[in-house]
Amino acid sequence: MRRLAFIFALVLAATPLAQGEAPVDETRIALRSEFLQMINHDRAANGLAPVELDPEASAIADTYCKEQIRFGTTGHFTVDGLAPYMRYSFAGGNDGVSENAAAWSATYRFSDRALYDMIRKSEDAMMNEKPPHDGHRRTLLDPYATHVGIGLAWDRGEFRLTEEFIRRFVTWKRPLPRAAGLTDQIVGVGKPLAKDYRVEAISVHHEPLPQPLSVQAANLIDSYSLPDKRRDYLPRLRGTYFQRHPDGALYEVREEYADGRRGDFTISRDGSFTFQVPFLDGPGVYTVVVWIRRPGDRDPVAATNVSIRVDRPLADFTFAGGGTR
């Protein structure tokens, strides 16, 4: 996952407008629709395909935005210390995810018009970023994003929004759990959704278990990324075999990687992969990234960010989800 930089907290300067306790859900649905149109307009203007609205990712994002207002946090973290990819994964997400976030504050309740204006100004601010401080813009213009979750919450003069850009390229026949014990043998089985993509590698990132944060500490974090500590695994090769030359002679073929390895996980004829997640670095959060590539593409795609909380012994942990996307 790329590093996201400079979360911004903006202050509304418009004329106060009254708003009662009217149908919040209807307003949220309308705002989300408008926001999706803005996002896809900006992507089209840069030659990119539109993204579809993801209802599940939007619901996860709504909950996060409400928690931010509840605790008075802004950006990518609240007091539970969970990074965005953990939050999405622990709630049931199986795909790659990158998050944009914005926060607004005022001394009055927001009208529907004011809410729309804040969304519009947030989107414009992200799109107007310049390198090297253009993390939000690069996330919006991810050429591999297929879906987006849009989170919105407002209460007592506080407004929070997030964009959860999703890369949906893998379907899971046997999804990975979101919690495990250190000695558990955890095996996942998945397959690229498109026939022209192949699994190129799997990375497993490790970091300590998340710790609670104070509001002040959470608000000081202005970016996030997967941890640098990782182990990379490659598809298993055929090993040594004999092949007949056109002139009739038999010769030995020995397949191995540059470092002498034969590979670490299997890929079936239909493109399905079977991967046992190794917990080699002790307790912590292990995040599994499946890399896929289409023939002719220069770079592989990070198609998943599946986080597994690993305790010794296994702590009481509830995974709200378990879909097979």
Side-chain angles (χ1 to χ4, degrees):
M1 178 183 293
R2 64 174 62 88
R3 186 173 296 275
L4 304 180
F6 292 96
I7 304 164
F8 51 89
L10 305 175
V11 179
L12 184 64
T15 304
L17 297 171
Q19 176 176 297
E21 300 296 332
V24 172
D25 288 339
E26 291 182 13
T27 299
R28 181 177 286 107
I29 291 170
L31 289 171
R32 190 171 279 138
S33 177
E34 294 285 349
F35 203 177
L36 180 65
Q37 291 183 46
M38 293 179 199
I39 291 169
N40 281 330
H41 176 272
D42 288 334
R43 289 178 61 85
N46 287 272
L48 297 175
V51 288
E52 297 180 26
L53 183 68
D54 188 310
E56 294 176 0
S58 296
I60 296 168
D62 280 346
T63 298
Y64 174 63
C65 289
K66 292 173 184 176
E67 289 294 290
Q68 282 197 306
I69 292 176
R70 175 187 173 194
F71 292 108
T73 55
T74 61
H76 298 298
F77 288 82
T78 187
V79 296
D80 58 11
L82 296 181
Y85 52 88
M86 294 183 198
R87 190 166 57 245
Y88 172 70
S89 182
F90 290 162
N94 285 297
D95 308 298
V97 61
S98 296
E99 180 181 87
N100 283 337
W104 294 71
S105 297
T107 57
Y108 47 83
R109 293 179 182 273
F110 300 122
S111 69
D112 291 355
R113 181 71 235 180
L115 292 168
Y116 175 85
D117 287 344
M118 287 184 286
I119 290 173
R120 174 76 273 171
K121 291 176 181 177
S122 298
E123 179 75 5
D124 289 346
M126 294 180 192
M127 287 301 301
N128 289 332
E129 291 177 342
K130 304 296 182 184
H133 307 306
D134 60 341
H136 296 97
R137 177 183 169 87
R138 287 186 285 112
T139 297
L140 271 160
L141 301 183
D142 178 0
Y144 297 109
T146 60
H147 295 73
V148 65
I150 296 175
L152 301 167
W154 59 95
D155 187 31
R156 295 168 295 179
E158 294 294 327
F159 178 65
R160 302 289 186 273
L161 69 85
T162 67
E163 301 168 327
E164 313 291 339
F165 285 93
I166 307 298
R167 293 177 168 188
R168 182 156 298 148
F169 286 91
V170 171
T171 182
W172 290 89
K173 300 178 181 179
R174 182 176 177 181
L176 293 168
R178 297 322 193 252
L182 194 58
T183 59
D184 290 349
Q185 293 189 347
I186 301 302
V187 177
V189 180
K191 179 182 178 182
L193 282 168
K195 292 182 179 179
D196 53 345
Y197 278 95
R198 298 286 293 176
V199 176
E200 183 166 286
I202 297 177
S203 299
V204 179
H205 297 253
H206 176 264
E207 60 196 293
L209 293 169
Q211 299 299 316
L213 296 171
S214 68
V215 171
Q216 293 77 11
N219 289 342
L220 286 173
I221 304 173
D222 63 1
S223 66
Y224 79 94
S225 65
L226 284 169
D228 292 334
K229 186 176 183 179
R230 64 184 254 187
R231 298 175 185 265
D232 296 323
Y233 302 91
L234 299 172
R236 191 164 297 148
L237 300 175
R238 292 173 60 184
T240 301
Y241 59 94
F242 289 91
Q243 186 166 310
R244 188 173 297 279
H245 194 271
D247 65 6
L250 285 176
Y251 63 96
E252 183 181 74
V253 178
R254 181 181 178 87
E255 291 186 346
E256 61 183 28
Y257 292 103
D259 61 1
R261 283 192 295 168
R262 301 288 181 84
D264 310 291
F265 63 92
T266 59
I267 297 181
S268 303
R269 289 181 178 271
D270 66 353
S272 299
F273 62 89
T274 301
F275 181 65
Q276 181 171 329
V277 186
F279 301 139
L280 303 178
D281 298 298
V285 175
Y286 291 77
T287 299
V288 179
V289 179
V290 177
W291 297 91
I292 63 172
R293 189 197 295 263
R294 184 171 49 194
D297 285 356
R298 186 184 69 177
D299 299 316
V301 180
T304 70
N305 297 123
V306 180
S307 294
I308 306 171
R309 180 186 175 110
V310 177
D311 290 293
R312 185 177 53 193
L314 177 61
D316 182 14
F317 180 83
T318 300
F319 164 43
T324 58
R325 285 204 305 262

